[in-house]
Amino acid sequence: MNTTSALFYLFSAVLLVAAFMVITARNTVHAALYLVLAFFNASCIWMLLHAEFLAITLVLVYVGAVMVLFLFVVMMLDINTETMREGFWTHFPLAAFIGVLIAFEMALVMKGGFNLPSAKAMAPEVLAMGNTKALGVEIYTQYLYPLQVAAVLLLVAIIAAIALTLRKRKDSRSQNPAQQVRAKAADRVRLVKMPVTVEAPSTPKTPEGGQA
């Protein structure tokens, strides 16, 4: 076993432990920090696979932006996790079984990609342009259609998230032009006839020495 293989197994083990602690940690902030640790180890594995661009993108985007946003949201909302975790260990065996089943199905689907007889050698001009530029050329030439499909799916997810969370503000004031156009003078002013004087109601008389 060489140094690269030893580092791969080390980062993979830490990644699995951190991922398990994300779903089992009692504190929400601790779960977010374990997720940061998992992202860092995944980035290290990509570095071992010579995918430097993906590794630095994972650190900058997920650790530097998304996880910071998660931590801000968690600390600002002050969510009571005790009520949310009620019955966690009761449903854990079923959840673990489903997770293992999904992992097994993904392994069967991806197994064909690991049985290649020999890796295809990259062209010298591709090697000369660098890892990042080669990735960009592949994405925007050979994989342009899947990229556009993924972009459309992300756009649909953004629109759905906005539609589900959008609520009308009660403290904002606005005008409705449609109601203003449909307004009539009879709806704005109402003339009511009232008598000039109104007689005071008569009070009942009480007997002497009695109480009203």
Side-chain angles (χ1 to χ4, degrees):
M1 180 183 294
N2 53 10
T3 306
T4 304
S5 300
L7 290 176
F8 175 79
Y9 286 116
L10 175 62
F11 293 143
S12 300
V14 177
L15 175 60
L16 293 176
V17 173
F20 181 77
M21 293 302 297
V22 169
I23 61 175
T24 57
R26 293 184 176 274
N27 195 332
T28 311
V29 178
H30 293 170
L33 294 178
Y34 279 120
L35 188 57
V36 171
L37 179 60
F39 285 152
F40 269 115
N41 284 272
S43 177
C44 293
I45 293 175
W46 279 350
M47 288 290 291
L48 294 177
L49 297 176
H50 301 286
E52 297 86 3
F53 177 74
L54 295 178
I56 194 64
T57 302
L58 179 63
V59 173
L60 292 178
V61 176
Y62 283 91
V63 179
V66 177
M67 290 311 305
V68 173
L69 178 62
F70 281 179
L71 288 175
F72 271 109
V73 171
V74 166
M75 289 185 290
M76 289 178 64
L77 293 181
D78 192 16
I79 303 174
N80 187 8
T81 58
E82 294 298 331
T83 57
M84 298 176 60
R85 292 180 59 87
E86 291 181 356
F88 174 80
W89 293 107
T90 304
H91 304 286
F92 180 76
L94 178 61
F97 172 75
I98 295 176
V100 172
L101 181 62
I102 293 175
F104 178 72
E105 292 176 352
M106 292 179 63
L108 290 180
V109 172
M110 300 175 63
K111 184 180 178 180
F114 295 95
N115 294 332
L116 297 177
S118 60
K120 183 180 179 181
M122 299 181 67
E125 58 272 11
V126 176
L127 294 175
M129 69 176 62
N131 181 272
T132 304
K133 188 175 181 180
L135 180 62
V137 171
E138 288 292 326
I139 288 178
Y140 290 102
T141 54
Q142 185 176 357
Y143 300 99
L144 181 60
Y145 180 70
L147 177 68
Q148 296 296 328
V149 173
V152 172
L153 292 177
L154 290 176
L155 178 61
V156 172
I158 293 173
I159 296 175
I162 295 174
L164 291 174
T165 58
L166 183 61
R167 298 292 184 271
K168 186 177 180 181
R169 294 184 56 181
K170 297 181 180 180
D171 56 346
S172 62
R173 297 181 180 180
S174 60
Q175 295 180 352
N176 191 347
Q179 294 181 355
Q180 294 176 344
V181 172
R182 291 196 301 266
K184 299 180 181 179
D187 298 333
R188 295 181 177 273
V189 180
R190 181 188 300 178
L191 300 177
V192 179
K193 293 184 179 181
M194 299 182 64
V196 180
T197 58
V198 179
E199 296 181 357
S202 58
T203 56
K205 296 181 180 181
T206 57
E208 296 181 0
Q211 296 181 356

